[in-house]
Amino acid sequence: MTVEEKAELKRLDETKTKKKEKDKEISTEGMPLPMGAGQGTIYNDGNNVKFNNESYKCILNHISSTSNQPPNTTYWQHIPYKSNHAAWVSGNVYLAPAFPGYDYARLYTKMTVYPSGCYVDIGEGIPTSWLFTTALTRSDVSIEFYGAYYSNLKQVIVFDWSVTSGDTVNWGGNSYQCKWSHTASSSNQPPNSTYWNSIAYSGSYGTWAAYRNYQGDSPGPNQADPYNKWQMVKSLNDPILAPYIINGLDDGGHSRQTLFYVNESKLVADGEPQLRRNSVYLWNPSIPTGWVLIYSHDYYRNKPLIGENNWSWSTILEFDDVSWVYGTDGNKYMCKKDHLAYTDRRPITGVNYATYWAQDNSYTGYVGNWSEFNSDGTTRTTYYQRKYIKELGYKDTAMYWGNGSGNYNSLLTNVYTWWNAMPSRWNLYHRLENYSYGVGNQL
């Protein structure tokens, strides 16, 4: 090890020691009062989405807005329908440049939950695809806490984007994994052992390049599976959540069960790399302090991707929307029961097609051709029925952020927000712009 490497290693050790001494306890500073804020989704070249039951491939990197949504041909290429594409989300979407950077950012909201399940069975079977109620802080190091419903499964989940293994590169005919976050330069390039671990060669890794931000190992607190971003999964029926599920009225005057929570991403110590912390708090009205920390992860990050081109804040519903295909008779058919494609289920030559498909030629959206397999030729196509749900949504959504020069509590206007409408079959029972909404097929 060179003299320079030894000095750098000593500096890093000192930084870690100071961090441990200074931050022995997680910060429990007061949580905010409701205000509101947010931002939009980043789409990169090659991303696939569904929008109004049609499928599109992104052909130009952009941040989503009403001006560039499908079918805008500058940003999207229309492609044949495939039901495994990510659904276009519905709800509050927040657009750049709402947040120019931050020392901390907190998303505060009351999320409707149903421990007994949100799906409504109308005689076609409970859907066997996921429905997520998601509110997130989105940069490349964001933290999510959301409700997840699948058939009769009801959960809340912490998904931590900062949990990841170190970046991997090829250099000089060898492969390396980053062990300490940094900006690449000639002084820290592989095989510098302060920043890189030598690993088995793989030609699939990208080539090391100067001036790039490389991120080191960031294992999460779930030691059983430290590199899995799904860091916490709890059933809504778990007794541990009972103190936090609160009965109350939403803004439509309807009685609801809610989880009141805060997602927080916070700068703990500046520098290269920064020390940051992702946390989730739940509100327990029966204790004096109210807020209870349920998840926290400290990690080092070199210049997280934040700023006007790298944010997405939202309170949304994510779902696989209904599938439409042409039958062999040329008519349009709507999927009425989730299923994998087999020839006996194809409309209308399959002997069992009527169990899964209903003819409806009144539909004016995109209709694809039925396909037994996905584009890989081996996995079967999944087709999805319409979702009928009890009212879901959010109340008192708020955003608080600071950029180093003070606290900025901002209720964002339409300049920064966009309402991505729900499917027409979901009735909108109430909406208070940038604060709350409730939507579903049944109260």
Side-chain angles (χ1 to χ4, degrees), residues 408-430:
Y408 291 83
N409 302 333
S410 176
L411 171 61
L412 299 186
T413 67
N414 288 338
V415 174
Y416 301 109
T417 63
W418 170 35
W419 172 252
N420 197 16
M422 303 293 176
S424 58
R425 64 186 176 278
W426 288 356
N427 300 313
L428 186 65
Y429 298 109
H430 63 86

mmCIF file with all atom_site columns, all heavy atoms in Angstrom, residues 408-430:
data_model
loop_
_atom_site.group_PDB
_atom_site.id
_atom_site.type_symbol
_atom_site.label_atom_id
_atom_site.label_alt_id
_atom_site.label_comp_id
_atom_site.label_asym_id
_atom_site.label_entity_id
_atom_site.label_seq_id
_atom_site.pdbx_PDB_ins_code
_atom_site.Cartn_x
_atom_site.Cartn_y
_atom_site.Cartn_z
_atom_site.occupancy
_atom_site.B_iso_or_equiv
_atom_site.pdbx_formal_charge
_atom_site.auth_seq_id
_atom_site.auth_comp_id
_atom_site.auth_asym_id
_atom_site.auth_atom_id
_atom_site.pdbx_PDB_model_num
ATOM 1   N N   . TYR A 1 408 ? -37.518 24.827 4.363   1.00 0.00 ? 408 TYR A N   1
ATOM 2   C CA  . TYR A 1 408 ? -38.417 25.272 3.313   1.00 0.00 ? 408 TYR A CA  1
ATOM 3   C C   . TYR A 1 408 ? -39.644 24.372 3.331   1.00 0.00 ? 408 TYR A C   1
ATOM 4   O O   . TYR A 1 408 ? -39.596 23.230 2.908   1.00 0.00 ? 408 TYR A O   1
ATOM 5   C CB  . TYR A 1 408 ? -37.729 25.219 1.949   1.00 0.00 ? 408 TYR A CB  1
ATOM 6   C CG  . TYR A 1 408 ? -36.654 26.253 1.818   1.00 0.00 ? 408 TYR A CG  1
ATOM 7   C CD1 . TYR A 1 408 ? -35.382 26.003 2.336   1.00 0.00 ? 408 TYR A CD1 1
ATOM 8   C CD2 . TYR A 1 408 ? -36.901 27.479 1.246   1.00 0.00 ? 408 TYR A CD2 1
ATOM 9   C CE1 . TYR A 1 408 ? -34.385 26.960 2.247   1.00 0.00 ? 408 TYR A CE1 1
ATOM 10  C CE2 . TYR A 1 408 ? -35.905 28.433 1.144   1.00 0.00 ? 408 TYR A CE2 1
ATOM 11  C CZ  . TYR A 1 408 ? -34.652 28.173 1.655   1.00 0.00 ? 408 TYR A CZ  1
ATOM 12  O OH  . TYR A 1 408 ? -33.657 29.119 1.573   1.00 0.00 ? 408 TYR A OH  1
ATOM 13  N N   . ASN A 1 409 ? -40.732 24.915 3.861   1.00 0.00 ? 409 ASN A N   1
ATOM 14  C CA  . ASN A 1 409 ? -41.975 24.181 3.948   1.00 0.00 ? 409 ASN A CA  1
ATOM 15  C C   . ASN A 1 409 ? -42.887 24.697 2.845   1.00 0.00 ? 409 ASN A C   1
ATOM 16  O O   . ASN A 1 409 ? -43.342 25.827 2.902   1.00 0.00 ? 409 ASN A O   1
ATOM 17  C CB  . ASN A 1 409 ? -42.635 24.382 5.312   1.00 0.00 ? 409 ASN A CB  1
ATOM 18  C CG  . ASN A 1 409 ? -41.712 23.951 6.433   1.00 0.00 ? 409 ASN A CG  1
ATOM 19  O OD1 . ASN A 1 409 ? -40.863 23.096 6.243   1.00 0.00 ? 409 ASN A OD1 1
ATOM 20  N ND2 . ASN A 1 409 ? -41.887 24.554 7.594   1.00 0.00 ? 409 ASN A ND2 1
ATOM 21  N N   . SER A 1 410 ? -43.146 23.880 1.846   1.00 0.00 ? 410 SER A N   1
ATOM 22  C CA  . SER A 1 410 ? -43.739 24.415 0.638   1.00 0.00 ? 410 SER A CA  1
ATOM 23  C C   . SER A 1 410 ? -44.970 23.638 0.213   1.00 0.00 ? 410 SER A C   1
ATOM 24  O O   . SER A 1 410 ? -44.910 22.432 0.005   1.00 0.00 ? 410 SER A O   1
ATOM 25  C CB  . SER A 1 410 ? -42.712 24.376 -0.499  1.00 0.00 ? 410 SER A CB  1
ATOM 26  O OG  . SER A 1 410 ? -43.295 24.806 -1.714  1.00 0.00 ? 410 SER A OG  1
ATOM 27  N N   . LEU A 1 411 ? -46.104 24.325 0.085   1.00 0.00 ? 411 LEU A N   1
ATOM 28  C CA  . LEU A 1 411 ? -47.267 23.765 -0.570  1.00 0.00 ? 411 LEU A CA  1
ATOM 29  C C   . LEU A 1 411 ? -47.117 24.075 -2.051  1.00 0.00 ? 411 LEU A C   1
ATOM 30  O O   . LEU A 1 411 ? -47.197 25.234 -2.463  1.00 0.00 ? 411 LEU A O   1
ATOM 31  C CB  . LEU A 1 411 ? -48.555 24.381 -0.038  1.00 0.00 ? 411 LEU A CB  1
ATOM 32  C CG  . LEU A 1 411 ? -49.827 24.019 -0.812  1.00 0.00 ? 411 LEU A CG  1
ATOM 33  C CD1 . LEU A 1 411 ? -50.065 22.518 -0.779  1.00 0.00 ? 411 LEU A CD1 1
ATOM 34  C CD2 . LEU A 1 411 ? -51.024 24.748 -0.236  1.00 0.00 ? 411 LEU A CD2 1
ATOM 35  N N   . LEU A 1 412 ? -46.890 23.054 -2.856  1.00 0.00 ? 412 LEU A N   1
ATOM 36  C CA  . LEU A 1 412 ? -46.609 23.293 -4.264  1.00 0.00 ? 412 LEU A CA  1
ATOM 37  C C   . LEU A 1 412 ? -47.881 23.579 -5.042  1.00 0.00 ? 412 LEU A C   1
ATOM 38  O O   . LEU A 1 412 ? -48.944 23.048 -4.746  1.00 0.00 ? 412 LEU A O   1
ATOM 39  C CB  . LEU A 1 412 ? -45.882 22.095 -4.867  1.00 0.00 ? 412 LEU A CB  1
ATOM 40  C CG  . LEU A 1 412 ? -44.537 21.772 -4.223  1.00 0.00 ? 412 LEU A CG  1
ATOM 41  C CD1 . LEU A 1 412 ? -43.837 20.673 -4.994  1.00 0.00 ? 412 LEU A CD1 1
ATOM 42  C CD2 . LEU A 1 412 ? -43.658 23.003 -4.166  1.00 0.00 ? 412 LEU A CD2 1
ATOM 43  N N   . THR A 1 413 ? -47.755 24.401 -6.061  1.00 0.00 ? 413 THR A N   1
ATOM 44  C CA  . THR A 1 413 ? -48.888 24.775 -6.904  1.00 0.00 ? 413 THR A CA  1
ATOM 45  C C   . THR A 1 413 ? -48.921 23.884 -8.142  1.00 0.00 ? 413 THR A C   1
ATOM 46  O O   . THR A 1 413 ? -48.122 22.967 -8.305  1.00 0.00 ? 413 THR A O   1
ATOM 47  C CB  . THR A 1 413 ? -48.750 26.236 -7.333  1.00 0.00 ? 413 THR A CB  1
ATOM 48  O OG1 . THR A 1 413 ? -47.614 26.350 -8.215  1.00 0.00 ? 413 THR A OG1 1
ATOM 49  C CG2 . THR A 1 413 ? -48.532 27.145 -6.127  1.00 0.00 ? 413 THR A CG2 1
ATOM 50  N N   . ASN A 1 414 ? -49.852 24.187 -9.040  1.00 0.00 ? 414 ASN A N   1
ATOM 51  C CA  . ASN A 1 414 ? -49.978 23.402 -10.267 1.00 0.00 ? 414 ASN A CA  1
ATOM 52  C C   . ASN A 1 414 ? -48.745 23.504 -11.155 1.00 0.00 ? 414 ASN A C   1
ATOM 53  O O   . ASN A 1 414 ? -48.580 22.713 -12.077 1.00 0.00 ? 414 ASN A O   1
ATOM 54  C CB  . ASN A 1 414 ? -51.209 23.839 -11.052 1.00 0.00 ? 414 ASN A CB  1
ATOM 55  C CG  . ASN A 1 414 ? -52.493 23.396 -10.386 1.00 0.00 ? 414 ASN A CG  1
ATOM 56  O OD1 . ASN A 1 414 ? -52.488 22.454 -9.607  1.00 0.00 ? 414 ASN A OD1 1
ATOM 57  N ND2 . ASN A 1 414 ? -53.590 24.084 -10.683 1.00 0.00 ? 414 ASN A ND2 1
ATOM 58  N N   . VAL A 1 415 ? -47.895 24.502 -10.911 1.00 0.00 ? 415 VAL A N   1
ATOM 59  C CA  . VAL A 1 415 ? -46.654 24.604 -11.668 1.00 0.00 ? 415 VAL A CA  1
ATOM 60  C C   . VAL A 1 415 ? -45.790 23.370 -11.430 1.00 0.00 ? 415 VAL A C   1
ATOM 61  O O   . VAL A 1 415 ? -45.044 22.923 -12.291 1.00 0.00 ? 415 VAL A O   1
ATOM 62  C CB  . VAL A 1 415 ? -45.879 25.880 -11.271 1.00 0.00 ? 415 VAL A CB  1
ATOM 63  C CG1 . VAL A 1 415 ? -44.511 25.925 -11.953 1.00 0.00 ? 415 VAL A CG1 1
ATOM 64  C CG2 . VAL A 1 415 ? -46.698 27.116 -11.632 1.00 0.00 ? 415 VAL A CG2 1
ATOM 65  N N   . TYR A 1 416 ? -45.932 22.800 -10.239 1.00 0.00 ? 416 TYR A N   1
ATOM 66  C CA  . TYR A 1 416 ? -45.073 21.689 -9.839  1.00 0.00 ? 416 TYR A CA  1
ATOM 67  C C   . TYR A 1 416 ? -45.800 20.355 -9.713  1.00 0.00 ? 416 TYR A C   1
ATOM 68  O O   . TYR A 1 416 ? -45.179 19.356 -9.390  1.00 0.00 ? 416 TYR A O   1
ATOM 69  C CB  . TYR A 1 416 ? -44.416 22.008 -8.489  1.00 0.00 ? 416 TYR A CB  1
ATOM 70  C CG  . TYR A 1 416 ? -43.585 23.264 -8.503  1.00 0.00 ? 416 TYR A CG  1
ATOM 71  C CD1 . TYR A 1 416 ? -44.018 24.399 -7.840  1.00 0.00 ? 416 TYR A CD1 1
ATOM 72  C CD2 . TYR A 1 416 ? -42.375 23.306 -9.194  1.00 0.00 ? 416 TYR A CD2 1
ATOM 73  C CE1 . TYR A 1 416 ? -43.253 25.557 -7.853  1.00 0.00 ? 416 TYR A CE1 1
ATOM 74  C CE2 . TYR A 1 416 ? -41.614 24.456 -9.209  1.00 0.00 ? 416 TYR A CE2 1
ATOM 75  C CZ  . TYR A 1 416 ? -42.054 25.582 -8.538  1.00 0.00 ? 416 TYR A CZ  1
ATOM 76  O OH  . TYR A 1 416 ? -41.310 26.719 -8.549  1.00 0.00 ? 416 TYR A OH  1
ATOM 77  N N   . THR A 1 417 ? -47.100 20.362 -9.904  1.00 0.00 ? 417 THR A N   1
ATOM 78  C CA  . THR A 1 417 ? -47.844 19.127 -9.676  1.00 0.00 ? 417 THR A CA  1
ATOM 79  C C   . THR A 1 417 ? -48.700 18.770 -10.878 1.00 0.00 ? 417 THR A C   1
ATOM 80  O O   . THR A 1 417 ? -49.062 19.610 -11.692 1.00 0.00 ? 417 THR A O   1
ATOM 81  C CB  . THR A 1 417 ? -48.756 19.247 -8.442  1.00 0.00 ? 417 THR A CB  1
ATOM 82  O OG1 . THR A 1 417 ? -49.717 20.265 -8.676  1.00 0.00 ? 417 THR A OG1 1
ATOM 83  C CG2 . THR A 1 417 ? -47.955 19.546 -7.199  1.00 0.00 ? 417 THR A CG2 1
ATOM 84  N N   . TRP A 1 418 ? -49.030 17.498 -10.938 1.00 0.00 ? 418 TRP A N   1
ATOM 85  C CA  . TRP A 1 418 ? -49.852 16.988 -12.020 1.00 0.00 ? 418 TRP A CA  1
ATOM 86  C C   . TRP A 1 418 ? -50.724 15.876 -11.470 1.00 0.00 ? 418 TRP A C   1
ATOM 87  O O   . TRP A 1 418 ? -50.251 14.991 -10.764 1.00 0.00 ? 418 TRP A O   1
ATOM 88  C CB  . TRP A 1 418 ? -48.942 16.461 -13.142 1.00 0.00 ? 418 TRP A CB  1
ATOM 89  C CG  . TRP A 1 418 ? -49.643 15.695 -14.231 1.00 0.00 ? 418 TRP A CG  1
ATOM 90  C CD1 . TRP A 1 418 ? -50.895 15.919 -14.737 1.00 0.00 ? 418 TRP A CD1 1
ATOM 91  C CD2 . TRP A 1 418 ? -49.124 14.588 -14.954 1.00 0.00 ? 418 TRP A CD2 1
ATOM 92  N NE1 . TRP A 1 418 ? -51.187 15.025 -15.723 1.00 0.00 ? 418 TRP A NE1 1
ATOM 93  C CE2 . TRP A 1 418 ? -50.112 14.183 -15.885 1.00 0.00 ? 418 TRP A CE2 1
ATOM 94  C CE3 . TRP A 1 418 ? -47.927 13.891 -14.910 1.00 0.00 ? 418 TRP A CE3 1
ATOM 95  C CZ2 . TRP A 1 418 ? -49.921 13.116 -16.756 1.00 0.00 ? 418 TRP A CZ2 1
ATOM 96  C CZ3 . TRP A 1 418 ? -47.735 12.841 -15.785 1.00 0.00 ? 418 TRP A CZ3 1
ATOM 97  C CH2 . TRP A 1 418 ? -48.719 12.464 -16.698 1.00 0.00 ? 418 TRP A CH2 1
ATOM 98  N N   . TRP A 1 419 ? -52.028 15.937 -11.768 1.00 0.00 ? 419 TRP A N   1
ATOM 99  C CA  . TRP A 1 419 ? -52.956 14.892 -11.366 1.00 0.00 ? 419 TRP A CA  1
ATOM 100 C C   . TRP A 1 419 ? -53.084 13.902 -12.520 1.00 0.00 ? 419 TRP A C   1
ATOM 101 O O   . TRP A 1 419 ? -53.588 14.241 -13.591 1.00 0.00 ? 419 TRP A O   1
ATOM 102 C CB  . TRP A 1 419 ? -54.313 15.492 -11.022 1.00 0.00 ? 419 TRP A CB  1
ATOM 103 C CG  . TRP A 1 419 ? -55.382 14.476 -10.775 1.00 0.00 ? 419 TRP A CG  1
ATOM 104 C CD1 . TRP A 1 419 ? -56.439 14.185 -11.574 1.00 0.00 ? 419 TRP A CD1 1
ATOM 105 C CD2 . TRP A 1 419 ? -55.502 13.623 -9.633  1.00 0.00 ? 419 TRP A CD2 1
ATOM 106 N NE1 . TRP A 1 419 ? -57.212 13.204 -11.016 1.00 0.00 ? 419 TRP A NE1 1
ATOM 107 C CE2 . TRP A 1 419 ? -56.653 12.834 -9.815  1.00 0.00 ? 419 TRP A CE2 1
ATOM 108 C CE3 . TRP A 1 419 ? -54.737 13.430 -8.478  1.00 0.00 ? 419 TRP A CE3 1
ATOM 109 C CZ2 . TRP A 1 419 ? -57.072 11.881 -8.887  1.00 0.00 ? 419 TRP A CZ2 1
ATOM 110 C CZ3 . TRP A 1 419 ? -55.152 12.487 -7.563  1.00 0.00 ? 419 TRP A CZ3 1
ATOM 111 C CH2 . TRP A 1 419 ? -56.302 11.726 -7.757  1.00 0.00 ? 419 TRP A CH2 1
ATOM 112 N N   . ASN A 1 420 ? -52.597 12.681 -12.329 1.00 0.00 ? 420 ASN A N   1
ATOM 113 C CA  . ASN A 1 420 ? -52.701 11.637 -13.337 1.00 0.00 ? 420 ASN A CA  1
ATOM 114 C C   . ASN A 1 420 ? -53.981 10.859 -13.057 1.00 0.00 ? 420 ASN A C   1
ATOM 115 O O   . ASN A 1 420 ? -54.050 10.089 -12.109 1.00 0.00 ? 420 ASN A O   1
ATOM 116 C CB  . ASN A 1 420 ? -51.480 10.716 -13.292 1.00 0.00 ? 420 ASN A CB  1
ATOM 117 C CG  . ASN A 1 420 ? -51.356 9.889  -14.552 1.00 0.00 ? 420 ASN A CG  1
ATOM 118 O OD1 . ASN A 1 420 ? -51.983 10.181 -15.566 1.00 0.00 ? 420 ASN A OD1 1
ATOM 119 N ND2 . ASN A 1 420 ? -50.544 8.854  -14.499 1.00 0.00 ? 420 ASN A ND2 1
ATOM 120 N N   . ALA A 1 421 ? -55.005 11.092 -13.878 1.00 0.00 ? 421 ALA A N   1
ATOM 121 C CA  . ALA A 1 421 ? -56.354 10.629 -13.589 1.00 0.00 ? 421 ALA A CA  1
ATOM 122 C C   . ALA A 1 421 ? -56.438 9.118  -13.420 1.00 0.00 ? 421 ALA A C   1
ATOM 123 O O   . ALA A 1 421 ? -55.686 8.351  -14.033 1.00 0.00 ? 421 ALA A O   1
ATOM 124 C CB  . ALA A 1 421 ? -57.301 11.080 -14.684 1.00 0.00 ? 421 ALA A CB  1
ATOM 125 N N   . MET A 1 422 ? -57.395 8.712  -12.582 1.00 0.00 ? 422 MET A N   1
ATOM 126 C CA  . MET A 1 422 ? -57.661 7.304  -12.332 1.00 0.00 ? 422 MET A CA  1
ATOM 127 C C   . MET A 1 422 ? -58.418 6.688  -13.506 1.00 0.00 ? 422 MET A C   1
ATOM 128 O O   . MET A 1 422 ? -58.995 7.396  -14.336 1.00 0.00 ? 422 MET A O   1
ATOM 129 C CB  . MET A 1 422 ? -58.495 7.158  -11.059 1.00 0.00 ? 422 MET A CB  1
ATOM 130 C CG  . MET A 1 422 ? -57.876 7.768  -9.833  1.00 0.00 ? 422 MET A CG  1
ATOM 131 S SD  . MET A 1 422 ? -56.387 6.884  -9.341  1.00 0.00 ? 422 MET A SD  1
ATOM 132 C CE  . MET A 1 422 ? -55.820 7.896  -7.977  1.00 0.00 ? 422 MET A CE  1
ATOM 133 N N   . PRO A 1 423 ? -58.456 5.359  -13.590 1.00 0.00 ? 423 PRO A N   1
ATOM 134 C CA  . PRO A 1 423 ? -59.317 4.719  -14.586 1.00 0.00 ? 423 PRO A CA  1
ATOM 135 C C   . PRO A 1 423 ? -60.757 5.187  -14.401 1.00 0.00 ? 423 PRO A C   1
ATOM 136 O O   . PRO A 1 423 ? -61.212 5.411  -13.277 1.00 0.00 ? 423 PRO A O   1
ATOM 137 C CB  . PRO A 1 423 ? -59.173 3.220  -14.275 1.00 0.00 ? 423 PRO A CB  1
ATOM 138 C CG  . PRO A 1 423 ? -57.870 3.100  -13.564 1.00 0.00 ? 423 PRO A CG  1
ATOM 139 C CD  . PRO A 1 423 ? -57.716 4.373  -12.782 1.00 0.00 ? 423 PRO A CD  1
ATOM 140 N N   . SER A 1 424 ? -61.490 5.328  -15.508 1.00 0.00 ? 424 SER A N   1
ATOM 141 C CA  . SER A 1 424 ? -62.836 5.881  -15.438 1.00 0.00 ? 424 SER A CA  1
ATOM 142 C C   . SER A 1 424 ? -63.772 5.020  -14.596 1.00 0.00 ? 424 SER A C   1
ATOM 143 O O   . SER A 1 424 ? -64.746 5.523  -14.026 1.00 0.00 ? 424 SER A O   1
ATOM 144 C CB  . SER A 1 424 ? -63.409 6.019  -16.853 1.00 0.00 ? 424 SER A CB  1
ATOM 145 O OG  . SER A 1 424 ? -63.426 4.759  -17.514 1.00 0.00 ? 424 SER A OG  1
ATOM 146 N N   . ARG A 1 425 ? -63.485 3.732  -14.469 1.00 0.00 ? 425 ARG A N   1
ATOM 147 C CA  . ARG A 1 425 ? -64.353 2.855  -13.681 1.00 0.00 ? 425 ARG A CA  1
ATOM 148 C C   . ARG A 1 425 ? -64.167 3.074  -12.181 1.00 0.00 ? 425 ARG A C   1
ATOM 149 O O   . ARG A 1 425 ? -64.959 2.582  -11.384 1.00 0.00 ? 425 ARG A O   1
ATOM 150 C CB  . ARG A 1 425 ? -64.082 1.394  -14.020 1.00 0.00 ? 425 ARG A CB  1
ATOM 151 C CG  . ARG A 1 425 ? -62.673 0.935  -13.649 1.00 0.00 ? 425 ARG A CG  1
ATOM 152 C CD  . ARG A 1 425 ? -62.410 -0.477 -14.135 1.00 0.00 ? 425 ARG A CD  1
ATOM 153 N NE  . ARG A 1 425 ? -61.036 -0.885 -13.859 1.00 0.00 ? 425 ARG A NE  1
ATOM 154 C CZ  . ARG A 1 425 ? -59.999 -0.578 -14.616 1.00 0.00 ? 425 ARG A CZ  1
ATOM 155 N NH1 . ARG A 1 425 ? -60.192 0.138  -15.726 1.00 0.00 ? 425 ARG A NH1 1
ATOM 156 N NH2 . ARG A 1 425 ? -58.786 -0.977 -14.314 1.00 0.00 ? 425 ARG A NH2 1
ATOM 157 N N   . TRP A 1 426 ? -63.086 3.772  -11.784 1.00 0.00 ? 426 TRP A N   1
ATOM 158 C CA  . TRP A 1 426 ? -62.883 4.096  -10.373 1.00 0.00 ? 426 TRP A CA  1
ATOM 159 C C   . TRP A 1 426 ? -63.474 5.478  -10.125 1.00 0.00 ? 426 TRP A C   1
ATOM 160 O O   . TRP A 1 426 ? -62.995 6.479  -10.660 1.00 0.00 ? 426 TRP A O   1
ATOM 161 C CB  . TRP A 1 426 ? -61.400 4.101  -10.019 1.00 0.00 ? 426 TRP A CB  1
ATOM 162 C CG  . TRP A 1 426 ? -60.786 2.730  -9.983  1.00 0.00 ? 426 TRP A CG  1
ATOM 163 C CD1 . TRP A 1 426 ? -61.427 1.541  -10.158 1.00 0.00 ? 426 TRP A CD1 1
ATOM 164 C CD2 . TRP A 1 426 ? -59.417 2.418  -9.756  1.00 0.00 ? 426 TRP A CD2 1
ATOM 165 N NE1 . TRP A 1 426 ? -60.546 0.502  -10.061 1.00 0.00 ? 426 TRP A NE1 1
ATOM 166 C CE2 . TRP A 1 426 ? -59.293 1.008  -9.809  1.00 0.00 ? 426 TRP A CE2 1
ATOM 167 C CE3 . TRP A 1 426 ? -58.282 3.170  -9.514  1.00 0.00 ? 426 TRP A CE3 1
ATOM 168 C CZ2 . TRP A 1 426 ? -58.081 0.361  -9.627  1.00 0.00 ? 426 TRP A CZ2 1
ATOM 169 C CZ3 . TRP A 1 426 ? -57.081 2.528  -9.334  1.00 0.00 ? 426 TRP A CZ3 1
ATOM 170 C CH2 . TRP A 1 426 ? -56.978 1.136  -9.384  1.00 0.00 ? 426 TRP A CH2 1
ATOM 171 N N   . ASN A 1 427 ? -64.506 5.532  -9.287  1.00 0.00 ? 427 ASN A N   1
ATOM 172 C CA  . ASN A 1 427 ? -65.141 6.798  -8.970  1.00 0.00 ? 427 ASN A CA  1
ATOM 173 C C   . ASN A 1 427 ? -64.235 7.616  -8.066  1.00 0.00 ? 427 ASN A C   1
ATOM 174 O O   . ASN A 1 427 ? -63.643 7.096  -7.121  1.00 0.00 ? 427 ASN A O   1
ATOM 175 C CB  . ASN A 1 427 ? -66.475 6.555  -8.259  1.00 0.00 ? 427 ASN A CB  1
ATOM 176 C CG  . ASN A 1 427 ? -67.432 5.762  -9.127  1.00 0.00 ? 427 ASN A CG  1
ATOM 177 O OD1 . ASN A 1 427 ? -67.589 6.073  -10.297 1.00 0.00 ? 427 ASN A OD1 1
ATOM 178 N ND2 . ASN A 1 427 ? -68.049 4.751  -8.553  1.00 0.00 ? 427 ASN A ND2 1
ATOM 179 N N   . LEU A 1 428 ? -64.127 8.900  -8.351  1.00 0.00 ? 428 LEU A N   1
ATOM 180 C CA  . LEU A 1 428 ? -63.373 9.802  -7.489  1.00 0.00 ? 428 LEU A CA  1
ATOM 181 C C   . LEU A 1 428 ? -64.337 10.376 -6.469  1.00 0.00 ? 428 LEU A C   1
ATOM 182 O O   . LEU A 1 428 ? -65.196 11.190 -6.791  1.00 0.00 ? 428 LEU A O   1
ATOM 183 C CB  . LEU A 1 428 ? -62.723 10.924 -8.305  1.00 0.00 ? 428 LEU A CB  1
ATOM 184 C CG  . LEU A 1 428 ? -61.795 11.857 -7.532  1.00 0.00 ? 428 LEU A CG  1
ATOM 185 C CD1 . LEU A 1 428 ? -60.581 11.099 -7.013  1.00 0.00 ? 428 LEU A CD1 1
ATOM 186 C CD2 . LEU A 1 428 ? -61.340 13.013 -8.420  1.00 0.00 ? 428 LEU A CD2 1
ATOM 187 N N   . TYR A 1 429 ? -64.225 9.937  -5.215  1.00 0.00 ? 429 TYR A N   1
ATOM 188 C CA  . TYR A 1 429 ? -65.167 10.356 -4.184  1.00 0.00 ? 429 TYR A CA  1
ATOM 189 C C   . TYR A 1 429 ? -64.818 11.733 -3.626  1.00 0.00 ? 429 TYR A C   1
ATOM 190 O O   . TYR A 1 429 ? -65.686 12.462 -3.188  1.00 0.00 ? 429 TYR A O   1
ATOM 191 C CB  . TYR A 1 429 ? -65.194 9.328  -3.060  1.00 0.00 ? 429 TYR A CB  1
ATOM 192 C CG  . TYR A 1 429 ? -65.669 7.967  -3.528  1.00 0.00 ? 429 TYR A CG  1
ATOM 193 C CD1 . TYR A 1 429 ? -64.775 6.901  -3.635  1.00 0.00 ? 429 TYR A CD1 1
ATOM 194 C CD2 . TYR A 1 429 ? -66.979 7.760  -3.901  1.00 0.00 ? 429 TYR A CD2 1
ATOM 195 C CE1 . TYR A 1 429 ? -65.192 5.660  -4.068  1.00 0.00 ? 429 TYR A CE1 1
ATOM 196 C CE2 . TYR A 1 429 ? -67.414 6.515  -4.341  1.00 0.00 ? 429 TYR A CE2 1
ATOM 197 C CZ  . TYR A 1 429 ? -66.522 5.472  -4.431  1.00 0.00 ? 429 TYR A CZ  1
ATOM 198 O OH  . TYR A 1 429 ? -66.933 4.246  -4.873  1.00 0.00 ? 429 TYR A OH  1
ATOM 199 N N   . HIS A 1 430 ? -63.556 12.060 -3.601  1.00 0.00 ? 430 HIS A N   1
ATOM 200 C CA  . HIS A 1 430 ? -63.155 13.388 -3.133  1.00 0.00 ? 430 HIS A CA  1
ATOM 201 C C   . HIS A 1 430 ? -61.721 13.639 -3.568  1.00 0.00 ? 430 HIS A C   1
ATOM 202 O O   . HIS A 1 430 ? -60.932 12.713 -3.747  1.00 0.00 ? 430 HIS A O   1
ATOM 203 C CB  . HIS A 1 430 ? -63.269 13.524 -1.615  1.00 0.00 ? 430 HIS A CB  1
ATOM 204 C CG  . HIS A 1 430 ? -62.354 12.598 -0.865  1.00 0.00 ? 430 HIS A CG  1
ATOM 205 N ND1 . HIS A 1 430 ? -61.047 12.913 -0.568  1.00 0.00 ? 430 HIS A ND1 1
ATOM 206 C CD2 . HIS A 1 430 ? -62.556 11.357 -0.371  1.00 0.00 ? 430 HIS A CD2 1
ATOM 207 C CE1 . HIS A 1 430 ? -60.483 11.902 0.086   1.00 0.00 ? 430 HIS A CE1 1
ATOM 208 N NE2 . HIS A 1 430 ? -61.374 10.939 0.211   1.00 0.00 ? 430 HIS A NE2 1
#
